[in-house]
Amino acid sequence: MNPADSARFPGPGRRRAIPGDPPGGRRALAVWGVGVAVYFVAVIFRTSLGVAGLEAADRFHVNASALSTFSILQLLVYAGMQIPVGLLVDRLGTRKVLGIGVVLFTAGQLGFALSPSFGTALAARALLGCGDAMTFISVLRLGSRWFPARRGPLVAQLAGLVGMAGNLVSTLVIARLLHGIGWTAAFAGSSLAGVVVLVLLLLFLKDHPEGHEPEPLPHHGAAYVRRQIATSWREPGTRLGLWVHFTTQFPAMVFLLLWGMPFLVEAQGLSQARAGELLTVVVVSNMSVGLVYGQIVGRHHNARMPLVLGTVGTTAALWAATLLHPAGRAPMWLLVALCVVLGACGPASMIGFDFARPANPPERQGTASGITNMGGFVASMTTLLAVGVLLDATGQNYTVAFSSVFVLQALGLSQILRLRGRAVRRERERLVASRVETVHVPV
């Protein structure tokens, strides 16, 4: 058992860091802030299509299925890159991987602004997704290297909160720029943010504080890669983290990334301005709930699973009430309630990392986080495709199309219930072992 895990689950009266735990403090906050700024810009670029879906359909002359291809391809690249990125972070460190990511997602955003055709626009979104894929895992690793392990849940939720602030920028700023100065100027202008964070990264970001360098690990090519992936996957906590992320994240992701605006405008009869306000409610709710969930999980470790199951159940109930409302169009109070609950999906998905993190030692954190992070994006990609195909097949019947949400929720929930017992038992075994070890650790 490594010391970081014992700090992650401190026993009664043991709140101080143990030897080897990162110090935290203002320096850690500043360095971590640079990494989070990179993630913030990546989320702006990732979600910028969500407020431009109708304009993209007109610009490239595509139907709903083809429109969903933009986000599906972006998420396919993102999900497919998670394990390779985790391995790269474990091997190369945060600074190098984040630097590559900034270059790629900035080039993708600029390329999307200048794309003259559907094909080139797809290629640009794929490039953006590749760079975006390198950000969040890197930020998680940066937090674990600079802050005490017991701060892990709160630091992770704060990173997610800042990411949602990027979504808020897309909803409030990119949408207005798009309608004010046009497609090319709005997307090309936003790409300058990537240049700014790249400069900050090169000047100020460090992988770890002095005196806390990780021990060098031998790397043996393909054998090392297979060992990292296989060992991480064998941990029930890693697999549980993946399915928690899978089940909780995608309803909000699908809504914000592409289909929320068309659903609210075409199916619910709202104006684009009012629909934009409801998308903002999702983002603000996410930011608020993230702070609450981070504090709860940090102080009450056993609250993880009730928060996850409660979020999944409430989300399913409100989606059902909205789609099956007798009047055909849901009242505004119900749409607001749905958006508030969708805001909890992101913070609930972050709890997946709180199952994977204590199940793996520091040298596997990147790989385990990559496996976990695949879950929600695979679910989002699948649902984006299903909604687009069903809309075309049913003549824009959003009730049928969004019913695909329930299928993936049921699949994910069955896996969570199957794995949670084994994962909790392994955590308890580690906790007992860590308490025995700390008796012999000098303080």
Side-chain angles (χ1 to χ4, degrees):
M1 178 69 188
N2 66 81
D5 283 348
S6 60
R8 176 68 180 82
F9 304 117
R14 292 181 60 253
R15 299 298 299 174
R16 59 179 177 173
I18 64 175
D21 221 17
R26 293 183 179 179
R27 173 64 173 160
L29 189 60
V31 173
W32 178 77
V34 173
V36 170
V38 173
Y39 177 56
F40 172 76
V41 174
V43 173
I44 294 176
F45 292 179
R46 178 202 304 170
T47 58
S48 57
L49 181 61
V51 297
L54 298 177
E55 289 80 0
D58 291 337
R59 179 180 177 87
F60 299 112
H61 309 291
V62 294
N63 60 16
S65 297
L67 180 61
S68 67
T69 305
F70 279 121
S71 296
I72 292 167
L73 178 61
Q74 183 178 332
L75 292 183
L76 177 63
V77 172
Y78 188 105
M81 286 288 293
Q82 289 309 292
I83 292 178
V85 168
L87 291 165
L88 284 174
V89 170
D90 285 337
R91 183 166 185 175
L92 301 180
T94 299
R95 188 172 187 270
K96 292 180 180 178
V97 176
L98 271 181
I100 297 170
V102 173
V103 172
L104 292 178
F105 68 60
T106 302
Q109 184 78 343
L110 181 60
F112 193 60
L114 304 176
S115 294
S117 65
F118 179 66
T120 55
L122 275 179
R125 295 306 286 187
L127 188 63
L128 192 157
C130 186
D132 183 19
M134 298 183 175
T135 58
F136 188 64
I137 293 176
S138 297
V139 171
L140 288 180
R141 172 65 172 264
L142 196 66
S144 69
R145 289 296 186 190
W146 280 89
F147 292 96
R150 67 179 182 274
R151 302 294 185 194
L154 182 58
V155 169
Q157 289 286 358
L158 287 173
L161 184 152
V162 174
M164 288 307 296
N167 205 321
L168 190 62
V169 170
S170 290
T171 304
L172 297 179
V173 179
I174 300 295
R176 293 183 180 180
L177 288 175
L178 190 64
H179 298 138
I181 62 178
W183 179 283
T184 301
F187 281 101
S190 66
S191 67
L192 294 176
V195 178
V196 173
V197 293
L198 178 61
V199 172
L200 292 175
L201 182 152
L202 295 175
L203 290 177
F204 301 113
L205 194 138
K206 292 183 62 177
D207 284 338
H208 47 72
E210 294 182 6
H212 290 267
E213 295 82 358
E215 295 183 6
L217 296 174
H219 301 288
H220 301 291
Y224 164 76
V225 171
R226 288 195 297 268
R227 184 172 61 253
Q228 284 285 92
I229 296 173
T231 308
S232 297
W233 182 255
R234 281 198 295 268
E235 290 292 343
T238 303
R239 283 175 282 145
L240 178 60
L242 179 147
W243 285 108
V244 166
H245 201 267
F246 178 101
T247 312
T248 53
Q249 186 200 48
F250 80 93
M253 179 69 72
V254 169
F255 197 80
L256 290 172
L257 200 59
L258 184 61
W259 291 121
M261 180 71 76
F263 169 74
L264 293 172
V265 173
E266 296 178 353
Q268 299 300 315
L270 303 181
S271 66
Q272 287 200 18
R274 183 57 60 88
E277 292 172 358
L278 286 177
L279 294 181
T280 303
V281 170
V282 179
V283 176
V284 173
S285 172
N286 183 294
M287 297 171 70
S288 303
V289 174
L291 288 174
V292 175
Y293 277 20
Q295 292 284 355
I296 291 175
V297 174
R299 296 179 181 181
H300 306 285
H301 195 62
N302 292 332
R304 292 173 302 169
M305 191 54 66
L307 288 176
V308 168
L309 297 179
T311 302
V312 172
T314 307
T315 302
L318 283 173
W319 258 124
T322 300
L323 296 175
L324 300 175
H325 195 273
R329 291 180 176 177
M332 181 57 66
W333 68 265
L334 182 54
L335 293 176
V336 171
L338 173 66
C339 290
V340 169
V341 172
L342 285 175
C345 291
S349 73
M350 298 297 296
I351 298 175
F353 297 101
D354 290 311
F355 286 107
R357 186 185 302 111
N360 293 273
E363 62 269 19
R364 288 205 311 267
Q365 289 294 315
T367 305
S369 295
I371 293 172
T372 300
N373 208 30
M374 284 181 62
F377 290 93
V378 169
S380 298
M381 177 180 61
T382 304
T383 309
L384 283 168
L385 176 61
V387 170
V389 170
L390 289 171
L391 283 175
D392 286 339
T394 60
Q396 305 297 303
N397 188 322
Y398 280 90
T399 299
V400 174
F402 272 104
S403 294
S404 58
V405 169
F406 306 122
V407 177
L408 271 75
Q409 283 185 319
L411 171 62
L413 187 59
S414 68
Q415 296 301 311
I416 290 172
L417 297 176
R418 182 178 68 86
L419 289 166
R420 65 173 179 171
R422 276 179 280 176
V424 169
R425 284 194 297 272
R426 289 293 294 271
E427 280 193 3
R428 287 174 180 169
E429 292 170 3
R430 283 189 170 89
L431 179 57
V432 171
S434 71
R435 287 175 173 169
V436 172
E437 287 184 11
T438 54
V439 173
H440 305 288
V441 175
V443 293

